[in-house]
Structures are given as C-alpha cells and as structure tokens.
Amino acid sequence: MKLGILTMNDLEISPFIEEIAKMSHSYNMSILVFSPLSIDFTKDIVTGRTYLHEEKKWVHITTSVPTYLYDRLFYGDDHRSEKCKHIVKSLKNRHDLQFLGYGLPNKWVQYERLKESVELCPFLLPTKLARSVDHIF
C-alpha cells in the first residue's frame, strides 16, 4: 500500500511526517510526500519523495498517484496556495482516491457545541474567539 502525503513543499519533511515514514515499514506501507503542483494529470503520475527504510533516507521518485492521500497542506493567501486548493478540490472529486480525514470546519461552532455537553465540558480549556490578529496580540 502507498500513502501519499500532500504538502506545499516535498523538500521540507516535518518531524511528524518523518515519524510516519519510519513507522510505515511496520505496516507494509510506502510513503510518498509530494505537492499537488507536482502531479502530471495527463499521465496520472506524480513526482515526490519516498523514504527508503534500509538506507534511512529520502529519495526523489516519479510514480502513480497514491490511492490514499493525507492532506497536510496549510494554505496561505498566495498564488501557489490557490493553485493547490484547486488541484486538491479536483482530487477529492475522484472516486479512485481516498482522502484520510477532512478538516474540521468552523472550529468555534464545534467548541460551542462541545461546551453544551455535561460529560465533555470539564475537559475543555477556556477559549475565546479571536476576531482579528490584533485581538490575538
């Protein structure tokens, strides 16, 4: 099985992704870290980096688009992010691909709902809604 991890830049492997890659061998799984921008849709291939367990190193590889995708993209307000959003949206519409987890939308609404739960409320940290960057500072 091959797990694709979507990132903005496959050259920057976070410690979290590094640990996933190291553990993947135990599950008979290979890891491919890649940017949505590196997909060639005409050939249905992607260029990214995979972890070689024996050598304990990352190498570049071109291969088919993995069936299972883990979205670790953090979008900004730049052109690259906009292009990635568009590509990921099209990938999510493909029936041959499976995304692992989806982002939790509207976290404030979720927090407000959880506060109503007698069982969960004692475990929630005090939280305030940030309406602007200035409010955070």
Side-chain angles (χ1 to χ4, degrees), residues 48-98:
R49 295 197 332 162
T50 191
Y51 187 74
L52 300 179
H53 295 277
E54 297 79 25
E55 292 88 359
K56 295 183 167 72
K57 68 178 186 176
W58 291 91
V59 295
H60 278 89
I61 187 174
T62 299
T63 185
S64 60
V65 176
T67 303
Y68 300 98
L69 299 172
Y70 181 28
D71 185 351
R72 295 289 300 162
L73 293 163
F74 297 98
Y75 300 109
D77 290 331
D78 56 291
H79 182 67
R80 183 177 174 89
S81 289
E82 284 302 315
K83 286 176 73 174
C84 284
K85 280 183 197 177
H86 179 72
I87 293 168
V88 170
K89 184 177 179 181
S90 70
L91 292 172
K92 287 182 177 180
N93 288 326
R94 286 181 48 172
H95 298 291
D96 61 327
L97 303 178
Q98 178 68 50

Side-chain angles (χ1 to χ4, degrees), residues 29-137:
M29 182 186 333
S30 65
I31 301 295
L32 177 69
V33 179
F34 67 97
S35 164
L37 300 174
S38 66
I39 300 172
D40 180 343
F41 285 98
T42 60
K43 298 177 184 173
D44 207 29
I45 59 173
V46 61
T47 300
R49 295 197 332 162
T50 191
Y51 187 74
L52 300 179
H53 295 277
E54 297 79 25
E55 292 88 359
K56 295 183 167 72
K57 68 178 186 176
W58 291 91
V59 295
H60 278 89
I61 187 174
T62 299
T63 185
S64 60
V65 176
T67 303
Y68 300 98
L69 299 172
Y70 181 28
D71 185 351
R72 295 289 300 162
L73 293 163
F74 297 98
Y75 300 109
D77 290 331
D78 56 291
H79 182 67
R80 183 177 174 89
S81 289
E82 284 302 315
K83 286 176 73 174
C84 284
K85 280 183 197 177
H86 179 72
I87 293 168
V88 170
K89 184 177 179 181
S90 70
L91 292 172
K92 287 182 177 180
N93 288 326
R94 286 181 48 172
H95 298 291
D96 61 327
L97 303 178
Q98 178 68 50
F99 274 77
L100 307 179
Y102 284 86
L104 182 62
N106 205 334
K107 291 171 184 65
W108 183 252
V109 171
Q110 302 300 323
Y111 173 76
E112 289 291 312
R113 287 188 184 144
L114 290 172
K115 276 190 356 185
E116 296 171 5
S117 167
V118 175
E119 295 86 10
L120 296 176
C121 189
F123 300 102
L124 297 176
L125 296 173
T127 304
K128 293 183 180 179
L129 179 62
R131 298 191 188 279
S132 71
V133 174
D134 292 335
H135 188 223
I136 293 170
F137 290 112

